[in-house]
Amino acid sequence: MGYDPSDFEDDDYQTQEADSAKSIRGYRIVIIILSVILVALSALYFSIHRQQMLDNQLLQVERDSIQSDLGQLMVDFDNLQITNDTISANLTFERERADSLMDRLKKERSWSLSKIKQYEKEVGTLRSIMRGYIKQIDSLNTLNKKLIEENVSYRKEITSAQLRADMAEEKAAELNNKVRVGSVIRARDIVMAGLNDKSKPVSRIKNASRLRVDFILSANDLAAPGNKAIYMRITSPDGYVLTTDATPTFEFEGERIPYSAMREVDYQNQDLEVGIYFNSTGFTAGTYRIQLYCEGRAIGSAEVFMK
């Protein structure tokens, strides 16, 4: 068998082609693997990015919800009306806490689930506090309403009692006035006579040197017994009150008025005959007016014509 060089050349060429084919297949496998890895990494990236976007949207929604709840809570604080100073001061303090929390929410830039939970907890605490105050205010309002109703009832009772007291006082005053009026001693059967120096009656008044007025103090069980000062005023026909040079006076209805003569008597609630004298001269004929007073009251009067 002879040696042919071309046979060796064919074997080498075939070997090179085989090695080249293997290399190409290897590259293809690497490229495929890298492509798969790249696709997987892209999918993972987009998944993570999408999840982050969803998380950010959720955080935004949670943040907006917290701000909305806090804003409504602040409005509720402002709408609470209370006159109790202690509760009012506490509400003001909690309202300031709500303002501070709202400022922190607006300035917050780094949001996370933990911070969301923290803010939700603080808002929940404020809400619980406000509910507690609402219960206290409701209790106080209920108590105030009850007290007001009781006060109105008491006022009605007091007004009714006051009306009854006023009526009783009015009746008592009326009765007292009747008793006071009824206790006045009255003078009746008033007569006057002119007398001469010997106390004898004269037929003409111009001859008289003294006047005597006789009357009866009527019996009155309501009057207080004891010594009574009886004042007598005699008014002449020409309108002048007859009096002495000393012009004595007594008090009547807040004024001092002159009188003609007076006498003290012992009155014991029974009819008592009394005579009072007035000494003077120069009497003229005509109608004389006689007025009698006792204890600051007018007790009788009469007009007598003297010749």
Side-chain angles (χ1 to χ4, degrees):
M1 181 174 184
Y3 174 74
D4 188 358
S6 61
D7 292 337
F8 288 101
E9 290 178 359
D10 292 335
D11 291 338
D12 291 338
Y13 177 76
Q14 292 176 355
T15 301
Q16 290 177 358
E17 286 184 346
D19 291 339
S20 177
K22 289 180 180 180
S23 297
I24 292 172
R25 285 196 299 272
Y27 288 141
R28 287 177 176 175
I29 293 172
V30 170
I31 292 172
I32 291 171
I33 292 173
L34 290 176
S35 298
V36 171
I37 292 173
L38 180 61
V39 170
L41 289 176
S42 299
L44 179 61
Y45 170 79
F46 285 113
S47 176
I48 293 173
H49 181 68
R50 180 182 179 188
Q51 185 63 41
Q52 288 179 344
M53 291 181 61
L54 291 175
D55 290 342
N56 289 335
Q57 290 178 355
L58 179 62
L59 290 176
Q60 181 67 35
V61 170
E62 293 291 339
R63 185 188 68 179
D64 293 343
S65 177
I66 292 174
Q67 288 183 342
S68 177
D69 290 344
L70 182 59
Q72 183 60 49
L73 187 62
M74 295 168 69
V75 172
D76 293 339
F77 270 119
D78 293 337
N79 289 336
L80 290 177
Q81 300 294 329
I82 184 65
T83 58
N84 184 282
D85 293 339
T86 301
I87 296 180
S88 179
N90 292 336
L91 284 175
T92 300
F93 175 76
E94 298 301 337
R95 179 62 170 79
E96 291 174 353
R97 283 184 58 188
D99 289 339
S100 176
L101 181 58
M102 180 62 79
D103 289 339
R104 287 164 51 199
L105 281 172
K106 291 180 178 179
K107 294 177 181 178
E108 186 64 61
R109 293 294 180 265
S110 178
W111 287 91
S112 65
L113 290 177
S114 61
K115 287 189 177 181
I116 288 291
K117 291 181 179 180
Q118 177 186 345
Y119 285 124
E120 286 179 343
K121 183 178 179 181
E122 292 187 46
V123 173
T125 300
L126 286 174
R127 184 180 292 107
S128 298
I129 292 173
M130 188 189 71
R131 287 172 180 171
Y133 283 127
I134 289 175
K135 289 182 179 179
Q136 292 186 47
I137 293 171
D138 288 342
S139 298
L140 288 175
N141 289 338
T142 301
L143 179 60
N144 286 337
K145 183 178 180 181
K146 182 179 179 182
L147 291 176
I148 290 173
E149 291 175 351
E150 291 179 354
N151 189 32
V152 171
S153 177
Y154 290 149
R155 284 181 179 273
K156 289 181 179 179
E157 292 180 4
I158 292 173
T159 301
S160 179
Q162 185 63 46
L163 288 174
R164 291 195 298 269
D166 291 343
M167 291 178 63
E169 184 178 352
E170 185 177 348
K171 288 182 179 179
E174 183 180 355
L175 180 60
N176 182 60
N177 185 58
K178 289 181 179 179
V179 171
R180 189 161 52 89
V181 172
S183 65
V184 174
I185 302 171
R186 299 296 177 182
R188 72 175 194 273
D189 302 337
I190 302 172
V191 295
M192 187 175 71
L195 306 176
N196 58 20
D197 293 336
K198 297 181 180 181
S199 296
K200 299 294 183 181
V202 296
S203 58
R204 299 218 177 250
I205 190 67
K206 64 178 182 178
N207 297 325
S209 58
R210 64 191 317 196
L211 300 176
R212 186 183 70 196
V213 176
D214 295 310
F215 55 91
I216 297 176
L217 292 179
S218 299
N220 188 345
D221 292 334
L222 296 177
N227 291 332
K228 308 292 182 183
I230 310 300
Y231 295 92
M232 176 180 69
R233 281 164 55 95
I234 302 175
T235 304
S236 65
D238 54 6
Y240 293 99
V241 176
L242 302 181
T243 184
T244 62
D245 293 338
T247 314
T249 62
F250 72 101
E251 186 173 348
F252 177 69
E253 295 183 350
E255 296 182 4
R256 302 294 300 185
I257 61 175
Y259 64 89
S260 304
M262 65 86 64
R263 179 181 174 183
E264 287 191 358
V265 298
D266 183 16
Y267 179 77
Q268 295 299 325
N269 305 99
Q270 296 178 353
D271 282 356
L272 178 65
E273 295 182 359
V274 181
I276 302 179
Y277 293 87
F278 174 72
N279 297 321
S280 188
T281 57
F283 300 112
T284 59
T287 300
Y288 288 77
R289 179 173 175 79
I290 303 167
Q291 295 170 293
L292 300 172
Y293 301 86
C294 178
E295 297 179 332
R297 290 181 173 274
I299 63 173
S301 63
E303 291 184 352
V304 181
F305 181 76
M306 303 296 289
K307 294 181 180 180

